[in-house]
Amino acid sequence: MNSKINAKNSCPIARSLDFLGDAWSILILRDAHSGLTRFEQFRKNLSIAPTILTKRLATLTEEGILEKRVYSEHPPRDEYVLTTAGRDFLPVLFMIGDWGRKYRGDGKLVRFLDAEAGTEIKPVLLDEVTGAKIGSRPIQIVQPDEEL
């Protein structure tokens, strides 16, 4: 995506996709939420080229989604932990996964369970103001310089 264009874009979806818009970034965040923190863990789990992983981790760190922390001085080694912004991305991952289960769900799929209750997680996204399920009502897009 073109960062210079999207940085000025008033659409929060376009701005977010500017750095989260590729599969590797999303999958790194999925793995970070499952507890992976180290470069080699990500590389092995994703079978991703080290150069691509280095770039994605740098971008996610620069954008404040992950935080880089030293876990070994000798040899110097870093780990990547989720920031508040990164942790807040979990519901987005679950909604993507729910959509994928519904429309790309052929074959055996991973299930996500509530670790305390042991039940499968069934995500639903609600509008905090109306309580309505997102997608159940028409939407209106209002540009920043327009009034309702």
Side-chain angles (χ1 to χ4, degrees), residues 24 28 42-53 56:
W24 291 124
I28 290 166
F42 291 118
R43 190 195 60 70
K44 184 177 178 184
N45 198 55
L46 295 171
S47 297
I48 184 174
T51 54
I52 294 172
L53 180 56
R56 297 311 183 277

Side-chain angles (χ1 to χ4, degrees), residues 79-144:
E79 65 181 352
Y80 299 86
V81 295
L82 293 161
T83 62
T84 300
R87 288 187 299 277
D88 284 350
F89 195 73
L90 184 60
V92 177
L93 289 172
F94 274 101
M95 295 312 294
I96 292 170
D98 190 56
W99 184 90
R101 183 173 297 285
K102 185 174 181 179
Y103 295 105
R104 297 288 188 250
D106 295 340
K108 294 182 179 183
L109 298 174
V110 167
R111 294 182 310 144
F112 300 100
L113 304 180
D114 180 296
E116 292 178 17
T119 56
E120 189 163 350
I121 296 171
K122 302 285 186 188
V124 62
L125 192 59
L126 300 177
D127 174 34
E128 186 176 302
V129 175
T130 65
K133 184 177 176 182
I134 301 292
S136 67
R137 299 165 89 161
I139 65 166
Q140 177 183 0
I141 298 174
V142 179
Q143 296 299 324

Side-chain angles (χ1 to χ4, degrees), residues 9-24:
N9 196 317
S10 63
C11 177
I13 295 169
R15 286 186 182 188
S16 299
L17 286 174
D18 189 41
F19 67 94
L20 287 171
D22 84 336
W24 291 124

